[in-house]
Amino acid sequence: MTRPGRTDPSIIRNFCIIAHIDHGKSTLADRMLQLTKLVDDRSMRAQYLDRMDIERERGITIKSQAVRMPWDVNGETHVLNMIDTPGHVDFTYEVSRSLQACEGAILLVDAAQGIEAQTLANLYLALAADLTIIPVLNKIDLPGANPEKYAAEIAGIIGCDESEVLRVSGKTGVGVPELLDAVVERIPAPTGRADAPARALIFDSVYDTYRGVVTYVRVVDGELRNRDRILMMSTTAQHELLEVGVISPEPVKSDAIGVGEVGYLITGVKDVRQSRVGDTVTTAARPATEDLGGYQPPNPMVYAGLYPIDGDDFSELREALDKLQLNDAALTYEPETSGALGFGFRVGFLGLLHMEIVRERLEREFNLDLISTAPNVVYRVRMEDGSEHTVTNPSEYPAGKIDEVYEPVVRATILAPSDYIGTILELCQNRRGIQLGLDYLSADRVEIRYTLPLAEIVFDFFDQLKSRTKGYASLDYEPDGEAAADLVKVDILLHGDPVDAFSAIVHRDKAYNYGLEMASKLKELIPRQQFEVPIQAAIGSRVIARETIRAMRKDVLSKCYGGDISRKRKLLEKQKEGKKRMKMVGRVEVPQEAFVAALSTSEPTKRD
Amino acid sequence: MPSQLPDGEPVPADGALPAGVRLDGPLSLYVHVPFCRTRCGYCDFNTYTPSELGGMSTDAYLEAALRELDLARRVVGGADVSTIFFGGGTPTMLPARQLAGFLEAIADRFHLVDGAEVTTEANPDSVDADYFRTLRSAGFTRISLGFQSAVPHVLDVLERTHTPDRGLHAARWAADAGFEHVSLDLIYGTPGESLADWQRSLDAVTSTPVDHVSAYSLIVEPGTRLAMQVRRGLVGMPDEDDLADKYLVADEFLAAQGFANYEVSNWARPGGECRHNLAYWRGGDWWGIGPGAHSHVDGVRFWNRKHPAAYAERILAGESPAQGRERLTPEDRRVERVLLELRLAEGLPLDVLTESERARVPDVAAAGWGLVRDGRLTLTQAGRLMADGIVRDLLD
């Protein structure tokens, strides 16, 4: 029986696809939907699984979904659940939960490019989760494809025979039926106790305007039935199941979902934080005693101030963040005030991509014009008196005697052609990295491992890496605790008054460069005032760099005939209006645009 | 005459002023002559070369201007006229006898007071000694010559057609013709003009028998050929520091030569001040005759249609050629007093300011930009260079 809720676990195969951005995961998934007749050619929307516009444009998948597909092997119909995984480093935890919901994974690698660092990292996660790996080279139809070379590389990494590496083209469909056969043949069926109390793993949770939160689960034990009262084991919150079903590829209601099945739950809750990825769902009537393990609350790694360019949009920004949070349990924010930028929010993100996505959604879906401060990581500052401060905003950096400052560090893995070893090592050393190892994946590709401060990665590490390696290097990293570092807070002072939006916590060796760069940038952007304005960069009370905006020497229109008078009065009125919109830093009038420009170009590339 | 006209409310066909609005002193008359032989590259004034006029003759223009004079007479009555100013354009494109005739027409319709100031602007290229003699005997009292610079390469950039010598000769011809008041206009900050070039122009001007000098910084007005050249990078944008330096050089030099600054951009020997311009700056009443000309009577400001043909069509149809007008509120008039009178050496009476504005006067003084004397705020040399900012900061 293949009906949801009555499916024999022995015919179920749960798998995901591990792939790098643009290695063709979505195209392959589309092809599978067509081959299994879930989507006909005509209604085929390119890359069916990526729902959001932003995902489509960027060619990445942010939120995973699960599709149930029938597939016949040897006359027997099997149920394949394809669980889509996010492919970016910011979402490692979500990837790990998706993997946890599977028994196997397709390792999809571009036959012209070979494996990339994030793919490798996710492969290691899959191996650690004991998944069966089906290695696949994609895009074999491309002229630049080199399947022999990369099959050998993959075989070397996962320890299989080169002949076990399948070769497909998601674009033409070549090899895809064989791949689906291999999924059935190689990946083990799920096992679980049908008579035990229900336990299901939440691997995704999505807010839908009409349905409320849609929770995606993999049932491990027992079953979840329509109208059950379910219990979230981490929060002990209870909800009534209003709907249970599977995605195939549109939602299909069912009475229940049972052992090994993948499906969705709707309870009517409106906020994804009540249905958290990694949590275990059981029933209130017969609760399980032990959860499935591995749950972690989301932990923001990167913070930035987000401000509406038009101060009147503050409440719109708050509403927009409230709405986004319904769909993004990892998003945290609290209001903050900046002397330079007005009222805004300090927002916590999983990482840089997460930050970009949130910002773009705020601007696109909510039509807001935003300015963002430079992102920063979370610092732990221990004072000589033994007290401790957690700093998520440089302007909160404590004054007084500091004993030690700790910053988060990551274990970074870089895969690149061996030609670039020198320049990559140089970059990592410049960024205060500690080398952990260097291994050849094949004759001309290396894996380089480093411990690096997250702050350095947040800055512009990836851009630098890409430009130094002509785009060939890939990067992955995972949090690796914290380390003490010689960090200082650099303030930027305008006519003696600090401009909070430009304060930064940087390594002492780079403080001068940061200060000089900000000072010279502001010098260009801030119009001359009636008096000379020094721009200083300072660590505490010590000035480390200085620029000067010379005083304006002429502020008068020389002509004033009879016919000019009305025009002159109206110009004056306009200028007075403009003056009201100026931000005052002490006595200095700064146009908002100057701050905006200084911050938006503050993803500088010349800090080294 | 700036080429851009403000928005405003419509003016009745008979040109009548709103009820209760009347002259409260002598009237000044401005006559705009919108013709030039060629257009200079920096100029955005309301003026036209013969080819731009589409066949409209100077006679047709004069006919229309006379009709407007009649209209002015009907609207404000046979007022006392204390100053008359022919500007342009190039008034001296008209034969001297036509200018003289127009002055006569004014005198027929209004009461020219004793000692009235009658000025015409003049282009050195379009005048000679005879021309000035004719004007002088017709009753003109003052000549304002567009000289701009004594340096050929500067005149080239400005696209002025006259040579420096011609301008200097013209000033002497005017003096020889019996004009007691002669003014030369200068422009500083032209791309390529050095400080030494500027000094040469100042030297040249003061070597002639003039009693008045105007010096304006070059403004790159949008829509001019100069603006296009700047945009294309053919010439540099005037530099504000350079303009400030040249202003200071001019002010020091002219003062040493006996010319006192009496308005931001104007200097005169004692008694040489342009009373017509002072009337503008002191909030006086004036009627502007001609295309695009502005008028002001008792807080009502109106302005004529810009193009000579449109202007003439209206006036010949017996209607007011005004395109719009605005009525200044008492606060508008107060603000205008502040921004105009602070430009004058005589300064602004402190009682024009509100209490909170007066409280900011010490800041102006402390910055070295102003002096308070006899209940008036006057700007210093440094203050004149910052006048617009001072007004912005001072006003509530």
Side-chain angles (χ1 to χ4, degrees), chain A residues 424-452:
Chain A
I424 294 170
L425 297 190
E426 187 192 4
L427 175 66
C428 292
Q429 293 303 133
N430 280 344
R431 299 309 178 83
R432 304 189 279 133
I434 299 164
Q435 196 180 334
L436 299 175
L438 189 156
D439 292 302
Y440 279 80
L441 295 177
S442 59
D444 57 1
R445 292 237 300 160
V446 288
E447 175 187 340
I448 302 169
R449 292 183 303 279
Y450 259 89
T451 296
L452 282 160

Side-chain angles (χ1 to χ4, degrees), chain A residues 543-562:
Chain A
V543 172
I544 56 169
R546 176 186 163 121
E547 291 275 4
T548 304
I549 304 173
R550 285 180 307 131
M552 181 196 301
R553 293 192 46 215
K554 176 176 175 292
D555 184 9
V556 63
L557 269 180
S558 58
K559 276 193 296 190
C560 187
Y561 301 123

Side-chain angles (χ1 to χ4, degrees), chain A residues 171-444:
Chain A
K171 196 172 147 203
T172 65
V174 168
V176 180
E178 292 78 5
L179 171 56
L180 288 168
D181 290 347
V183 167
V184 171
E185 283 155 9
R186 296 195 204 171
I187 295 176
T191 53
R193 290 170 298 148
D195 55 352
R199 289 198 300 173
L201 173 71
I202 300 179
F203 62 84
D204 199 1
S205 181
V206 178
Y207 177 78
D208 178 285
T209 321
Y210 302 104
R211 314 299 312 273
V213 172
V214 181
T215 302
Y216 293 89
V217 296
R218 149 75 195 273
V219 180
V220 175
D221 291 328
E223 64 174 4
L224 295 174
R225 300 197 66 82
N226 206 7
R227 296 290 159 194
D228 274 353
R229 275 199 84 73
I230 57 169
L231 174 69
M232 302 296 181
M233 293 188 75
S234 77
T235 60
T236 70
Q238 294 189 15
H239 307 287
E240 189 184 341
L241 269 187
L242 303 179
E243 187 177 322
V244 177
V246 298
I247 307 286
S248 191
E250 302 295 338
V252 178
K253 282 190 220 176
S254 71
D255 300 332
I257 47 175
V259 170
E261 285 191 286
V262 172
Y264 69 88
L265 313 175
I266 290 173
T267 61
V269 303
K270 297 284 184 212
D271 180 345
V272 289
R273 285 173 299 173
Q274 296 181 25
S275 200
R276 288 172 182 262
V277 170
D279 202 353
T280 302
V281 182
T282 185
T283 58
R286 193 181 164 220
T289 51
E290 227 175 289
D291 64 35
L292 293 165
Y295 172 71
Q296 289 171 14
N299 189 19
M301 299 288 286
V302 173
Y303 285 82
L306 281 184
Y307 291 81
I309 285 180
D310 180 348
D312 293 343
D313 286 346
F314 175 75
S315 55
E316 277 87 341
L317 175 57
R318 180 196 293 277
E319 279 169 31
L321 285 166
D322 288 348
K323 278 191 189 144
L324 276 194
Q325 199 176 45
L326 297 177
N327 203 5
D328 186 347
L331 182 67
T332 62
Y333 52 92
E334 52 183 64
E336 72 172 7
T337 310
S338 154
L341 303 173
F343 294 103
F345 292 90
R346 176 106 325 220
V347 187
F349 306 97
L350 294 174
L352 283 183
L353 180 75
H354 188 213
M355 178 172 96
E356 269 181 58
I357 290 167
V358 167
R359 186 172 162 185
E360 205 165 313
R361 290 189 65 187
L362 287 169
E363 297 200 315
R364 186 185 304 214
E365 295 171 29
F366 299 92
N367 212 7
L368 290 163
D369 286 324
L370 300 175
I371 177 69
S372 154
T373 64
N376 61 269
V377 301
V378 182
Y379 298 93
R380 188 165 65 87
V381 182
R382 201 177 67 222
M383 309 298 286
E384 280 187 356
D385 66 8
S387 66
E388 277 204 4
H389 302 267
T390 300
V391 176
T392 58
N393 179 345
S395 67
E396 293 163 1
Y397 199 75
K401 287 204 181 331
I402 289 167
D403 183 29
E404 199 78 81
V405 185
Y406 298 90
E407 63 177 343
V409 295
V410 297
R411 277 175 67 96
T413 305
I414 297 164
L415 300 196
S418 48
D419 294 352
Y420 299 110
I421 292 177
T423 184
I424 294 170
L425 297 190
E426 187 192 4
L427 175 66
C428 292
Q429 293 303 133
N430 280 344
R431 299 309 178 83
R432 304 189 279 133
I434 299 164
Q435 196 180 334
L436 299 175
L438 189 156
D439 292 302
Y440 279 80
L441 295 177
S442 59
D444 57 1

Side-chain angles (χ1 to χ4, degrees), chain B residues 72-95:
Chain B
R73 170 73 174 76
R74 283 199 299 277
V75 172
V76 298
D80 287 350
V81 168
S82 55
T83 73
I84 302 170
F85 196 105
F86 290 79
T90 312
T92 49
M93 288 268 290
L94 299 177

